[in-house]
């Protein structure tokens, strides 16, 4: 017999949904049959599966351990240790804990290095999510058993070779509230990047972006094209030497590769960008400063003013992520003042 006590990360969902997570290799017909036969009960009583769970509810499964294990998939894919080569974080040791910008019982903010996926695209991938879960397991903040019914996850994504702030929910409530704030665009995101050429003044630029799913590349146009989406980007020059400019960029819409493609479309490609950049500029950045990917960094997040409990303590607060070493090297080498 296996007993589950419903915690805050499981409360509020239907019983059959939770069973589908816990026994994720079983057909739905299996646990409906087990409920009919009272081999699965809720608070000691017969159940149907459509019951809404409350914290403290007790689910009993009168099943052999072998049956439960047969129908339970692996809760967690082991994440490798982070090597010094892929951290890219200035002055820090190569460990996940050094990537943490802020943490409480509901939220985790991380400074993702370039070269790491935010979330895995295919089963064999290892991403920041697996690294985060490995950290939570190692620090005793979550158990393998708890992972059967709730997976902490990230609430926003960055391209593999874009560095900077990623927010994650450690609890169901934290994940839901942060994800909703990103969806509603009430969390304000600020980026820094180094682009080619002089940028004399702040500007808001607009256009249309179209993605080619076969090449995972986008094109930007001034007028609407079939299947294109409207985009808007704001930028503020922070420093320039005439050859390169350090920009602060604000996303007003959030499309695939938007900042990289939008800036390239107006003649200011990001240094190190192999997809939308200029080969000669990228070669200079690599040779002089060791730049191997685009110098685009998710620098700051500002939380909405009206975050409800249990995240109300974060309302209106801003968090910044340290710039990577190659970004700093080029900025200093080109006499760009950092803010």
């Amino acid at each position: 017999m296996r007993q589950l006590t419903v915690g805050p990360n499981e409360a509020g969902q239907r019983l059959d949904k939770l069973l589908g997570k816990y026994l994720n290799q079983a057909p739905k017909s299996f646990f409906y049959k087990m409920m009919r036969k009272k081999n699965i009960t809720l608070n000691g009583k017969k159940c149907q599966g459509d019951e809404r769970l409350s914290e403290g509810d007790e689910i009993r499964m009168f099943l052999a351990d072998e049956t439960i294990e047969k129908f339970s998939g692996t809760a967690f894919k082991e994440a490798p240790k982070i090597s010094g080569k892929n951290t890219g974080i200035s002055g820090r040791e190569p460990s996940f804990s050094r990537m943490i910008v802020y943490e409480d019982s509901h939220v985790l903010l991380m400074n993702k290095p370039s070269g790491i996926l935010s979330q895995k695209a295919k089963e064999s991938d290892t991403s920041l999510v697996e690294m985060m879960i490995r950290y939570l397991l190692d620090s005793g903040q979550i158990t393998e058993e708890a992972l059967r019914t709730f997976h902490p996850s990230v609430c926003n994504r960055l391209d593999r070779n874009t560095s900077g702030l990623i927010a994650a929910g450690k609890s169901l409530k934290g994940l839901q509230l942060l994800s909703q704030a990103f969806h509603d665009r009430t969390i304000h995101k600020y980026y820094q990047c180094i682009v080619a050429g002089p940028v004399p003044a702040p500007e808001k630029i607009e256009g249309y972006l179209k993605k080619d799913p076969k090449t995972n590349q986008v094109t930007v146009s001034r007028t609407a094209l079939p299947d294109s989406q409207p985009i808007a980007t704001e930028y503020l020059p922070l420093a320039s030497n005439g050859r390169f400019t350090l920009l602060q960029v604000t996303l007003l819409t959030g499309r695939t590769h938007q900042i990289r493609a939008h800036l390239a479309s107006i003649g200011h490609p990001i240094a190190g960008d192999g997809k939308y950049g200029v080969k000669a500029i990228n070669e200079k950045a690599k040779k002089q400063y060791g730049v191997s990917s685009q110098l685009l960094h998710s620098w700051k997040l500002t939380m909405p003013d009206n975050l409800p409990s249990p995240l109300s303590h974060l309302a209106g607060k801003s968090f910044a992520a340290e710039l990577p070493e190659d970004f700093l090297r080029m900025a200093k080498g080109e006499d760009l003042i950092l803010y």
Side-chain angles (χ1 to χ4, degrees):
M1 192 271 286
R2 184 78 56 90
Q3 177 173 311
L4 306 178
T5 301
V6 175
N9 290 334
E10 293 81 37
Q13 63 186 297
R14 286 170 50 125
L15 171 60
D16 53 4
K17 185 175 180 181
L18 184 139
L19 290 172
K21 294 175 181 177
Y22 197 87
L23 303 173
N24 61 3
Q25 302 299 307
K28 286 187 176 181
S29 59
F30 172 78
F31 48 80
Y32 285 128
K33 180 180 179 180
M34 293 300 100
M35 286 187 281
R36 286 195 304 270
K37 297 177 69 173
K38 295 186 70 173
N39 287 338
I40 298 178
T41 64
L42 177 62
N43 296 324
K45 299 178 182 179
K46 186 176 180 179
C47 50
Q48 296 182 333
D50 60 353
E51 296 85 354
R52 287 283 171 183
L53 298 173
S54 299
E55 192 169 350
D57 282 348
E58 291 184 350
I59 302 164
R60 292 190 177 97
M61 293 183 283
F62 297 94
L63 306 170
D65 288 342
E66 293 82 3
T67 301
I68 292 174
E69 293 308 314
K70 173 185 174 182
F71 289 132
S72 298
T74 303
F76 172 65
K77 175 180 177 289
E78 183 75 18
K81 300 298 182 182
I82 304 170
S83 71
K85 292 181 180 179
N86 64 9
T87 58
I89 302 175
S90 175
R92 296 191 173 189
E93 296 175 11
S95 66
F96 179 84
S97 61
R98 299 292 183 176
M99 295 164 57
I100 296 173
V101 174
Y102 172 81
E103 182 179 13
D104 61 30
S105 57
H106 297 282
V107 169
L108 187 62
L109 302 183
M110 300 159 284
N111 186 359
K112 183 188 85 69
S114 171
I116 295 176
L117 288 167
S118 302
Q119 288 181 301
K120 59 185 180 182
K122 55 183 184 293
E123 189 60 33
S124 59
D125 289 337
T126 296
S127 71
L128 192 66
V129 171
E130 282 73 45
M131 294 176 180
M132 173 182 69
I133 292 175
R134 178 76 271 159
Y135 161 76
L136 295 175
L137 285 168
D138 289 346
S139 59
Q141 298 184 61
I142 198 167
T143 64
E144 289 272 5
E145 183 73 8
L147 286 174
R148 293 180 183 269
T149 55
F150 172 71
H151 263 245
S153 187
V154 296
C155 307
N156 64 310
R157 299 186 187 188
L158 296 174
D159 295 339
R160 181 196 291 266
N161 292 322
T162 296
S163 59
L165 279 171
I166 286 189
K170 290 169 55 177
S171 69
L172 178 62
K173 199 65 177 175
L175 181 60
Q176 289 174 333
L177 290 176
L178 277 185
S179 295
Q180 189 63 48
F182 276 107
H183 178 268
D184 296 342
R185 307 196 69 79
T186 55
I187 290 181
H188 299 293
K189 298 180 287 184
Y190 304 92
Y191 294 75
Q192 286 192 19
C193 59
I194 296 177
V195 301
V199 181
E203 191 172 346
K204 175 184 176 181
I205 53 176
E206 297 178 296
Y208 295 86
L209 180 147
K210 184 175 180 177
K211 181 179 178 180
D212 184 342
K214 293 182 180 179
T215 63
N216 193 34
Q217 192 157 347
V218 304
T219 55
V220 173
S221 60
R222 292 186 178 181
T223 56
L225 299 173
D227 300 322
S228 66
Q229 296 176 305
I231 56 173
T233 309
E234 283 186 345
Y235 59 75
L236 170 69
L238 301 178
S240 181
N241 62 6
R243 300 182 301 276
F244 295 98
T245 301
L246 175 66
L247 290 184
Q248 175 182 301
V249 181
T250 306
L251 276 177
L252 303 180
T253 56
R255 312 296 187 193
T256 301
H257 301 173
Q258 178 180 322
I259 294 176
R260 298 162 60 192
H262 212 177
L263 291 174
S265 74
I266 62 169
H268 297 294
I270 295 175
D273 191 340
K275 185 166 285 191
Y276 303 103
V278 175
K279 184 177 180 180
I281 293 171
N282 295 344
E283 288 178 349
K284 170 184 169 67
K286 184 174 183 178
K287 182 177 180 180
Q288 289 189 232
Y289 307 113
V291 173
S292 57
S293 60
Q294 64 260 14
L295 295 185
L296 175 62
H297 182 73
S298 178
W299 167 56
K300 186 169 73 171
L301 293 177
T302 299
M303 298 292 178
D305 292 328
N306 58 347
L307 271 176
S309 179
L311 302 188
S312 54
H313 61 289
L314 298 178
K317 290 188 177 180
S318 292
F319 300 90
E322 186 177 337
L323 290 161
E325 291 178 351
D326 54 355
F327 196 120
L328 288 167
R329 280 196 301 270
M330 185 162 182
K332 292 176 181 177
E334 296 293 325
D335 295 321
L336 303 177
I337 301 171
L338 299 178
Y339 288 81

